[in-house]
Amino acid sequence: MCAATRRGRARKLRANTRPERTRANTHTMPKRDRGDELGRSLVQLLRHGAHEANVPIDDEGWVALDAALAHVNRRGKSFTVADVEQSVAACAKQRMALRTSPAGARQIRANQGHSMKDVHVEMKRLDAASAPEAVVHGTYRAAWATIREAGLSRMARQHVHFARDLPGESGVISGMRSSCQVLVWVDLRACIEAGMEVFESSNGVILTPGKPETRLLGSEHFARVLDVGRGL
């Protein structure tokens, strides 16, 4: 992708992240959509909280749907199986998946983003031939100084997350938040040649755990960095 095309797409992202001006007599902000509330609760449980909540989860990340529903309804909510099905189908980033297990039970899992170390969702392993030449990681100005010095860290998660392109471009649906202020393009093939494992999740997110010895992806693999708001 040429530099002019990247600049144009970054300008589009910058326009989408500018806050709208508020009027003097604005209405109270609407309450969070019921489906959005359900989706956030489920993602939190499935990615990070199942063990702490004593909700059984298998090593591939699957949780019984009735157990997940019992958890999100524990404080007086009344979400149903139909609500979950609608939430999963309506999620533009396809963060979750539903299935019927071989035993006939309905199950749900997050497609990526886990911090639970014993959960390993099956993903496609990429090599230098199948990996995209460059991918983009979105972050914020407050984190950039640390990233510039130390590299990208997977933090508490299993992987650093990347998108193949900017959100909304070339069919990209997930991999970074649209509110990100700093975009870091990474030479993915160089990462693979340096010994890093690279995967692609079922919803198109590119992931790497970084170097095994450091859990980091060093800045020597950065191809380009752009501050979205400042155009630098």
Side-chain angles (χ1 to χ4, degrees):
M1 181 169 56
C2 69
T5 301
R6 285 176 175 165
R7 285 195 297 270
R9 292 178 176 176
R11 281 196 294 271
K12 183 188 297 184
L13 181 64
R14 181 165 65 248
N16 291 336
T17 59
R18 287 173 182 163
E20 296 183 1
R21 294 180 180 177
T22 55
R23 298 179 180 177
N25 295 317
T26 55
H27 295 291
T28 303
M29 289 293 291
K31 293 182 179 180
R32 181 177 292 171
D33 176 79
R34 176 177 165 86
D36 183 56
E37 179 185 2
L38 173 59
R40 287 172 183 268
S41 296
L42 286 170
V43 166
Q44 171 63 28
L45 172 72
L46 299 171
R47 285 179 171 176
H48 314 296
H51 292 326
E52 185 178 349
N54 294 317
V55 174
I57 184 170
D58 70 17
D59 58 4
E60 294 181 345
W62 291 106
V63 168
L65 183 53
D66 57 357
L69 265 176
H71 174 77
V72 298
N73 285 332
R74 70 194 186 284
R75 295 176 179 167
K77 302 294 183 180
S78 56
F79 295 113
T80 65
V81 170
D83 291 330
V84 175
E85 291 172 339
Q86 182 177 2
S87 180
V88 171
C91 179
K93 293 191 173 187
Q94 298 180 15
R95 291 187 174 101
M96 296 176 288
L98 287 164
R99 76 168 187 180
T100 300
S101 74
R106 295 296 303 280
Q107 295 178 310
I108 187 169
R109 79 172 176 189
N111 285 323
Q112 31 69 219
H114 300 81
S115 60
M116 293 175 284
K117 292 180 174 57
D118 57 342
V119 173
H120 302 284
V121 174
E122 182 179 0
M123 290 182 284
K124 178 182 177 182
R125 176 82 177 264
L126 301 180
D127 57 22
S130 60
E133 181 178 354
V135 290
V136 59
H137 176 86
T139 187
Y140 297 90
R141 293 187 192 105
W144 170 239
T146 300
I147 291 171
R148 182 176 55 200
E149 294 299 320
L152 289 168
S153 170
R154 65 194 191 188
M155 307 296 284
R157 295 191 181 190
Q158 296 177 355
H159 304 97
V160 183
H161 292 202
F162 301 92
R164 286 178 173 266
D165 206 333
L166 300 181
E169 301 291 344
S170 307
V172 173
I173 60 170
S174 193
M176 63 181 289
R177 294 185 175 125
S178 61
S179 61
C180 288
Q181 299 166 323
V182 178
L183 306 178
V184 182
W185 275 271
V186 166
D187 184 339
L188 195 61
R189 293 174 185 172
C191 293
I192 294 172
E193 291 171 1
M196 297 183 212
E197 294 181 319
V198 174
F199 304 93
E200 183 174 11
S201 68
S202 61
N203 59 333
V205 178
I206 307 298
L207 309 108
T208 178
K211 289 186 175 180
E213 62 272 22
T214 64
R215 298 165 51 121
L216 296 169
L217 187 155
S219 58
E220 67 271 18
H221 299 298
F222 295 177
R224 181 169 177 262
V225 178
L226 176 67
D227 186 305
V228 177
R230 299 169 183 167
L232 302 175

